[in-house]
Amino acid sequence: AQSVAQPEDQVNVAEGNPLTVKCTYSVSGNPYLFWYVQYPNRGLQFLLKYITGDNLVKGSYGFEAEFNKSQTSFHLKKPSALVSDSALYFCAVRDTSSSASKIIFGSGTRLSIRP
Amino acid sequence: DVKVTQSSRYLVKRTGEKVFLECVQDMDHENMFWYRQDPGLGLRLIYFSYDVKMKEKGDIPEGYSVSREKKERFSLILESASTNQTSMYLCASSLYGGASYEQYFGPGTRLTVT
């Protein structure tokens, strides 16, 4: 079965420290992987995606993610966290069992950056 | 910028009522989606549409129906609202392309069924 897992419900980081939000996936075929962010009282915003090519993908607000095929992971990273990065983060993967444009979302990780 | 708008931010309805949630996008996207978001469950797909009058069931279609009469508008209908449909509902749109294109989301409608 196709799935995506975010093993941590919450991640706490001090401002200025590096952050990592973990994501692993299970799909057949080539994965298309996405990260979205939801700031308080706002809709989801696209951060970055991996479709093909370089395993290190750079996105909005200084975030990047590394595709690791052997570990089936797509962890989100940022070298130096800001308080304004505090939000709910979702990893998502293309549903390869469907020919349509469906993606499967993880359960979300709440990132909290303390000053 | 792509804009996806939803008809209401907050909605309170009674059990058994018929509820309409409207979504409009202004970027000529072929795909439109309805999700519900619940704590700890992430986003679950209710229905999606890849063209006018075309629709496909998502993972949790029971108790819902949809309508897409115009390309820019996608409506979610709760035929007879129940308390377990209390949730945040998110609409999204994207270009057609086998999920390689990112989805753009509306601000959400928080529905409470009493």
Side-chain angles (χ1 to χ4, degrees):
Chain A
Q2 322 257 347
S3 65
V4 59
Q6 294 181 244
E8 301 155 317
D9 291 335
Q10 174 129 4
V11 171
N12 299 307
V13 178
E15 188 175 27
N17 283 0
L19 69 87
T20 299
V21 183
K22 295 180 180 176
C23 173
T24 59
Y25 65 90
S26 174
V27 297
S28 56
N30 294 323
Y32 294 174
L33 295 154
F34 304 82
W35 276 102
Y36 287 84
V37 60
Q38 186 176 39
Y39 296 103
N41 300 314
R42 292 170 66 177
L44 269 73
Q45 297 178 33
F46 168 76
L47 266 183
L48 51 78
K49 66 181 177 183
Y50 171 84
I51 304 297
T52 187
D54 195 348
N55 288 345
L56 185 64
V57 179
K58 293 189 183 298
S60 307
Y61 312 119
F63 283 93
E64 58 188 27
E66 185 167 13
F67 170 63
N68 187 316
K69 189 173 183 178
S70 62
Q71 296 186 6
T72 62
S73 67
F74 189 57
H75 300 332
L76 181 70
K77 300 183 180 186
K78 189 173 182 181
S80 179
L82 300 172
V83 172
S84 57
D85 293 330
S86 299
L88 187 56
Y89 291 79
F90 291 95
C91 182
V93 65
R94 175 181 69 141
D95 183 353
T96 57
S97 67
S98 166
S99 60
S101 303
K102 295 197 298 182
I103 60 175
I104 302 166
F105 284 87
S107 56
T109 297
R110 188 164 299 280
L111 178 63
S112 177
I113 310 299
R114 61 184 183 274
Chain B
D1 278 353
V2 175
K3 200 164 187 179
V4 180
T5 57
Q6 295 183 229
S7 50
S8 305
R9 291 298 303 270
Y10 300 93
L11 210 53
V12 180
K13 295 292 182 181
R14 293 194 178 276
T15 302
E17 278 193 83
K18 192 168 187 175
V19 182
F20 295 86
L21 302 182
E22 305 285 338
C23 175
V24 178
Q25 51 96 2
D26 67 357
M27 281 301 292
D28 203 36
H29 284 170
E30 293 86 1
N31 294 328
M32 294 189 76
F33 307 82
W34 274 107
Y35 296 89
R36 64 178 281 176
Q37 180 182 0
D38 299 288
L41 297 177
L43 274 71
R44 293 179 291 167
L45 181 65
I46 304 171
Y47 268 97
F48 75 99
S49 168
Y50 51 89
D51 201 352
V52 174
K53 297 191 186 294
M54 306 303 290
K55 61 185 179 185
E56 281 196 27
K57 293 180 180 179
D59 300 317
I60 52 165
E62 298 79 18
Y64 303 94
S65 62
V66 290
S67 172
R68 193 167 181 199
E69 297 295 320
K70 294 185 177 182
K71 191 174 184 179
E72 67 271 18
R73 188 179 297 268
F74 192 35
S75 302
L76 179 70
I77 303 152
L78 285 66
E79 298 290 344
S80 178
S82 63
T83 54
N84 63 12
Q85 292 179 310
T86 292
S87 185
M88 171 70 84
Y89 290 87
L90 297 174
C91 174
S93 72
S94 75
L95 289 169
Y96 183 80
S100 60
Y101 295 102
E102 57 269 29
Q103 295 183 15
Y104 293 84
F105 284 82
T109 296
R110 185 165 294 282
L111 173 67
T112 302
V113 182
T114 61

